[in-house]
Amino acid sequence: MMPELGKYAFEVLSAYGVSLLLLAALLGLSIARDRRARADLRHAEEETRRNG
Amino acid sequence: MSLWEYANPVKFLRLSERVLPALWVFAGLCVATGLIWGFFATPDDYRQGSTVKIIFLHVPSALMAINAWFMMLVTSLIWLIRRHHVSALAAKAAAPVGAVMTVIALATGALWGQPMWGTWWAWDPRLTSFLILFLFYLGYIALWEAIEDPDTAADLTSVLCLVGSVFAVLSRYAVHFWNQGLHQGTSVPVATGARTVSDVFFIPLVICMIGFGMLFVALVLYRTGTEIRLRRTRALLARGARGA
């Protein structure tokens, strides 16, 4: 059940929406970057092993 | 066992992989509990109406925006003095997190300020110093990206971090330095304990502050691990190129 926000509903909901969106984007981008870094490192280590 | 042991990238990764699952869960629980409690279960303020619910985002993000820069200051000093790569990479990893916290603080502040002050923005000491702090975050991130040699980048960004610390201090204490402007003083003064927030708002606020703090720590540990892996990859590729 949604609380009664009265005449400030836009400001309150926007504040929560923007903040949660920014936090989700930060988390998503951090995870994507880490996955790429792990894959690149695995690849580089395999290359190094192959080339001695 | 010394703290400096974790300047070893392998030991740092081992420790962070061990503590991160618990940290994510704890941070997620605190942030979710604090925000749900604050949004759904707190009453309207007698003067500010429902806009008081913005406090559960604004205060923790502003707190972390400043603390992130201080964490970067400490790790930058460790880099400059002891040349531990992990500390420089931790500062690099923290900068985007601090920048996002600063944007959240500025955006929620504007959304709160409009109905209360009648304006989205004012050149108030605290607001202005926060905007400058955000620009320092952007400059810091850009400087890391602009310089190819990682050690030189770490040196220059550390110096930038020292300079930017002035604005981090100003963001925190601007209200006391210049007794003017729209922004009020802190509602939760840790030093004096003389808070002006009632318990009904204070308890969920503290939970949010702990949650944002833990989220920051988890993100920095996670992102530092990423930076360590990227650095190792670059080193292996460079070694391969020299050997070819």
Side-chain angles (χ1 to χ4, degrees):
Chain A
M1 58 302 174
M2 190 73 173
E4 182 53 57
L5 299 173
K7 58 181 176 177
Y8 303 126
F10 168 76
E11 285 82 0
V12 177
L13 292 176
S14 301
Y16 275 78
V18 167
S19 305
L20 294 179
L21 204 70
L22 282 168
L23 287 177
L26 176 65
L27 211 58
L29 289 173
S30 300
I31 292 169
R33 191 158 189 260
D34 188 65
R35 285 196 178 153
R36 242 185 351 258
R38 281 173 196 262
D40 288 349
L41 178 58
R42 236 185 342 262
H43 186 252
E45 281 174 341
E46 278 166 16
E47 284 279 307
T48 309
R49 255 195 306 275
R50 253 204 307 275
N51 299 331
Chain B
M1 192 179 73
S2 151
L3 184 68
W4 299 117
E5 279 184 36
Y6 297 104
N8 177 324
V10 177
K11 283 192 175 173
F12 179 89
L13 284 179
R14 210 176 294 146
L15 172 80
S16 67
E17 300 219 328
R18 219 174 31 234
V19 300
L20 265 173
L23 259 179
W24 286 125
V25 171
F26 186 59
L29 276 177
C30 283
V31 171
T33 307
L35 289 182
I36 291 170
W37 184 342
F39 187 81
F40 289 100
T42 55
D44 286 358
D45 179 69
Y46 76 105
R47 267 198 311 209
Q48 304 188 49
S50 62
T51 60
V52 72
K53 293 179 193 296
I54 298 175
I55 198 173
F56 305 109
L57 292 160
H58 182 70
V59 171
S61 57
L63 187 73
M64 290 325 300
I66 299 170
N67 288 349
W69 194 274
F70 282 117
M71 176 252 148
M72 287 161 58
L73 172 66
V74 171
T75 49
S76 296
L77 284 172
I78 292 172
W79 163 255
L80 288 174
I81 296 165
R82 299 191 65 140
R83 313 301 284 179
H84 290 317
H85 285 102
V86 171
S87 64
L89 295 177
K92 183 184 181 187
V97 185
V100 168
M101 293 294 175
T102 314
V103 175
I104 292 176
L106 286 168
T108 54
L111 284 161
W112 201 354
Q114 212 290 325
M116 292 303 107
W117 299 336
T119 179
W120 300 97
W121 178 262
W123 294 103
D124 159 285
R126 183 170 268 191
L127 273 66
T128 308
S129 54
F130 243 87
L131 179 65
I132 296 172
L133 179 65
F134 175 61
L135 296 177
F136 263 97
Y137 271 120
L138 293 188
Y140 181 92
I141 295 165
L143 195 55
W144 262 109
E145 297 304 320
I147 298 167
E148 206 165 314
D149 177 53
D151 285 5
T152 310
D155 285 339
L156 294 178
T157 51
S158 296
V159 173
L160 181 67
C161 189
L162 296 183
V163 177
S165 299
V166 175
F167 288 93
V169 172
L170 284 182
S171 317
R172 178 75 183 78
Y173 297 106
V175 175
H176 306 296
F177 291 158
W178 297 285
N179 196 19
Q180 58 182 21
L182 288 171
H183 201 287
Q184 66 176 72
T186 177
S187 308
V188 191
V190 178
T192 61
R195 64 186 160 88
T196 55
V197 179
S198 117
D199 277 352
V200 75
F201 302 115
F202 182 67
I203 297 168
L205 177 60
V206 168
I207 296 172
C208 282
M209 284 158 75
I210 294 170
F212 271 63
M214 290 298 110
L215 184 64
F216 172 75
V217 174
L219 275 165
V220 171
L221 284 180
Y222 185 73
R223 293 175 60 90
T224 306
T226 307
E227 294 301 332
I228 290 172
R229 288 184 188 96
L230 288 171
R231 186 172 181 275
R232 168 99 181 124
T233 305
R234 273 195 299 272
L236 286 175
L237 292 177
R239 196 190 300 168
R242 274 199 304 272

